[in-house]
Amino acid sequence: MNELLDPRNDFLFKRIFGSEENRDVLLAFLNRTFAEANRPLLREIVLLNPYLDKDDPLDKQSILDIRASTSEGELINVEMQLFNRYDMEKRTLFYWSKMYASQLIEGQSYSTLKSCVTINILDFKLLKNELYHNVFHLREDQTAIALTDDIEIHFLELPKLDPQSFALEKGGLANWLLFLKGVTTDHWEVLTMNEPELKKAMDTLEFLSQDQEARMRYEARQKYLHDQASLMEAAKNAEIYGFKAGMEEGIEKGIEKGIEKGIEKGIEQGIEKGIEQTALRFLRLGVDIETIVKATGLTEDAIRSLSDSAK
């Protein structure tokens, strides 16, 4: 029997939670999330971008987050994030705002806008507290009165969830997150004791782990995600040597888009050696020469010379 795949892989996550046949699994997960936020539970949801067999984890057109709407028209976006991207908070607000604005057709009144909920599941620590579930709204500082309830953002941080610190038999959102975190199958029966819908998610994971095509797509996505993480680390190292790699949306698409904005700060005295070292890091990562030229300001001849000397 093949080893179980990692449900945190965003391609696999959408297969489990974002397919029409598993809509009840997503609904159960959302209701556990909303129950912890003390908000009304959902009766029904409609998937706006269900997983389709043609979805390719390496295709720019494939959307691997999950979008749904409620019977009242409220929009919900669920996204799995394995790595800490630059400016995660601003990125979250940007994509929330796009979802909110997308509702309005020309000529419509603002009163037709429905609330939008973003749920980010993070495989890293982001916020400076020990809560694994943080919920944000727009409130007045002193009186805490709401300006509007249209904005709601959840951060679910998996590393803050310690299996030893939770009574698994109690059920709730923690059990779903422990499943995603990769708790061993020895604990699955306890996890599903009060979470029957979680059993279906587990069955789906086991099925996909034995499916050859699903495993190939999963592994391709894993390689892409690791390459992306390596590029992000190289960009961080680049900043140490005095220049800032473009990160607007280019860095989040990693190798596919490369570094768009190039050098924003002038090169200070003695920085030449640092630039060459950074160019060498990019070469070792397999970044193309054209992208390295944009990122470092070096000429193609200089980069080729570095490549030859490194052999």
Side-chain angles (χ1 to χ4, degrees):
M1 182 173 181
N2 288 328
E3 180 182 354
L4 285 178
L5 302 178
D6 188 344
R8 291 170 295 186
N9 175 290
D10 53 5
F11 166 71
L12 201 64
F13 178 80
K14 188 172 182 180
R15 285 287 304 263
I16 296 171
F17 289 87
S19 59
E20 280 292 349
E21 57 268 24
N22 277 17
R23 190 152 42 94
D24 53 339
V25 174
L26 177 63
L27 180 61
F29 170 75
L30 291 176
N31 277 334
R32 284 306 195 184
T33 303
F34 290 160
E36 283 202 353
N38 296 316
R39 57 167 291 164
L41 302 185
L42 305 175
R43 298 188 303 274
E44 186 58 76
I45 54 169
V46 175
L47 281 170
L48 301 179
N49 66 331
Y51 171 82
L52 301 173
D53 287 337
K54 67 179 183 179
D55 284 350
D56 187 333
L58 300 182
D59 185 351
K60 292 181 181 180
Q61 303 304 314
S62 292
I63 300 172
L64 296 178
D65 55 357
I66 299 172
R67 301 174 186 175
S69 69
T70 68
S71 55
E72 291 77 24
E74 181 178 44
L75 298 181
I76 303 171
N77 180 266
V78 185
E79 187 172 1
M80 174 67 72
Q81 290 288 338
L82 287 179
F83 306 109
N84 190 358
R85 302 170 186 270
Y86 288 99
D87 298 320
M88 185 67 199
E89 300 87 345
K90 293 181 182 294
R91 178 184 183 278
T92 297
L93 284 175
F94 176 74
Y95 282 105
W96 177 90
S97 67
K98 288 183 69 174
M99 179 169 57
Y100 191 64
S102 68
Q103 303 176 72
L104 206 60
I105 301 173
E106 186 175 355
Q108 279 189 323
S109 167
Y110 292 118
S111 63
T112 62
L113 289 170
K114 302 293 184 180
S115 62
C116 291
V117 180
T118 291
I119 300 175
N120 281 336
I121 306 171
L122 310 180
D123 197 32
F124 54 88
K125 291 184 179 181
L126 177 70
L127 304 172
K128 295 179 179 179
N129 62 35
E130 292 307 312
L131 300 174
Y132 70 85
H133 184 190
N134 288 272
V135 188
F136 293 89
H137 295 90
L138 199 56
R139 300 282 188 266
E140 199 281 325
D141 282 354
Q142 298 183 62
T143 62
I145 62 171
L147 177 65
T148 174
D149 283 329
D150 280 7
I151 181 170
E152 182 175 324
I153 296 174
H154 297 247
F155 288 105
L156 306 176
E157 298 171 74
L158 298 180
K160 292 180 178 178
L161 197 67
D162 180 4
Q164 306 303 321
S165 302
F166 290 86
L168 304 183
E169 68 275 5
K170 289 184 178 179
L173 177 61
N175 284 23
W176 289 86
L177 298 182
L178 287 170
F179 162 68
L180 291 173
K181 189 178 172 73
V183 69
T184 63
T185 54
D186 296 341
H187 293 97
W188 277 14
E189 184 176 353
V190 180
L191 287 177
T192 58
M193 195 175 299
N194 293 310
E195 297 294 326
E197 292 86 356
L198 187 50
K199 177 66 165 59
K200 188 174 181 181
M202 293 170 174
D203 289 343
T204 304
L205 176 60
E206 288 187 313
F207 172 79
L208 293 173
S209 297
Q210 305 308 312
D211 184 83
Q212 191 62 33
E213 182 180 353
R215 183 171 282 272
M216 289 176 60
R217 291 189 176 193
Y218 164 88
E219 290 175 350
R221 183 63 178 174
Q222 284 289 83
K223 182 181 184 301
Y224 168 79
L225 291 171
H226 285 301
D227 287 346
Q228 185 183 50
S230 296
L231 184 64
M232 289 168 64
E233 184 62 31
K236 288 180 183 178
N237 291 336
E239 287 190 277
I240 296 174
Y241 293 105
F243 65 88
K244 183 178 180 181
M247 296 178 289
E248 187 179 43
E249 282 192 84
I251 194 63
E252 76 165 357
K253 295 184 182 299
I255 291 172
E256 291 181 0
K257 291 190 67 178
I259 298 172
E260 293 178 349
K261 295 173 75 176
I263 297 172
E264 292 184 355
K265 295 182 180 178
I267 300 174
E268 299 176 357
Q269 186 178 6
I271 200 65
E272 288 83 359
K273 184 177 180 180
I275 293 175
E276 291 179 355
Q277 291 173 341
T278 300
L280 280 171
R281 289 190 183 93
F282 281 133
L283 285 168
R284 293 189 185 106
L285 287 170
V287 179
D288 61 89
I289 289 179
E290 182 180 352
T291 299
I292 299 174
V293 169
K294 293 179 181 179
T296 64
L298 296 175
T299 65
E300 286 192 21
D301 289 341
I303 293 170
R304 294 185 191 281
S305 177
L306 284 172
S307 178
D308 292 340
S309 65
K311 292 179 179 178

